[in-house]
Amino acid sequence: MIAPLMLFHIPKIATRFLTFQGLLDVIPNLVKYPLIFLLFIVIPQDLGFNVFLAGMGAGLVEGVLFSTPQRNVESRIFAGVFQPNPIYSSYSQGLKTIYKEEGLKSFYKRSFAIGLRQCFYNGGLFFSFHHFHQTLMVKLTKEFYLLC
């Protein structure tokens, strides 16, 4: 059961971080659009709003592409665990059976809800990591100069 989960997890993490970095590079160029320009005027940039937006975008992409199919297969496997004759015996067998019986569309049921959840989760995750990293680096830099 671990190996198929890793097949989803590795590209999921890669997609999250590559999308985040790509959006972080693109967001400052979006200031020319009126709505985003107003957001950049109202919210100071030193608060890390662009980090939060890039994290939200990365979470949305990751949630729709990877988390939704993974959660749908997992929920079907766990629902059948307590039945006398489980329909799905393993993760890979569950993937094959669901695809054969219902097609690709069935993997993306509830994609809006999962994508929205991942959107705010990753936005907060990247935002808090950004501020933690900045605070830690400032503190370490000050202590390093005090030691020298």
Side-chain angles (χ1 to χ4, degrees):
M1 178 102 174
I2 298 294
L5 289 176
M6 290 305 290
L7 290 175
F8 269 102
H9 194 66
I10 292 169
K12 183 168 95 167
I13 298 299
T15 302
R16 180 191 305 163
F17 283 101
L18 288 173
T19 306
F20 171 76
Q21 196 59 47
L23 288 174
L24 200 58
D25 295 339
V26 168
I27 285 175
N29 298 330
L30 296 176
V31 176
K32 58 187 170 191
Y33 297 102
L35 178 64
I36 297 174
F37 181 70
L38 289 174
L39 288 174
F40 276 88
I41 290 174
V42 173
I43 301 170
Q45 287 307 295
D46 58 346
L47 292 179
F49 183 66
N50 53 351
V51 173
F52 183 71
L53 280 179
M56 285 180 71
L60 184 64
V61 170
E62 176 221 339
V64 170
L65 289 181
F66 293 102
S67 294
T68 303
Q70 182 180 2
R71 300 272 189 249
N72 284 336
V73 173
E74 285 175 2
S75 64
R76 289 181 186 211
I77 289 173
F78 293 141
V81 166
F82 298 108
Q83 294 177 354
N85 296 326
I87 300 171
Y88 312 110
S89 59
S90 68
Y91 199 84
S92 57
Q93 192 259 338
L95 280 171
K96 291 175 191 172
T97 307
I98 293 169
Y99 181 72
K100 284 180 185 175
E101 292 177 0
E102 301 176 33
L104 191 61
K105 187 177 178 181
S106 66
F107 290 118
Y108 291 98
K109 291 179 183 174
R110 304 178 322 196
S111 63
F112 178 74
I114 293 173
L116 192 63
R117 183 192 71 197
Q118 290 295 106
C119 180
F120 286 102
Y121 168 76
N122 281 315
L125 185 74
F126 280 108
F127 182 76
S128 60
F129 177 76
H130 173 73
H131 280 287
F132 176 74
H133 183 260
Q134 277 186 334
T135 305
L136 185 65
M137 291 309 292
V138 166
K139 190 174 246 185
L140 287 175
T141 305
K142 286 180 182 177
E143 289 180 10
F144 178 73
Y145 284 124
L146 289 175
L147 291 174
C148 293

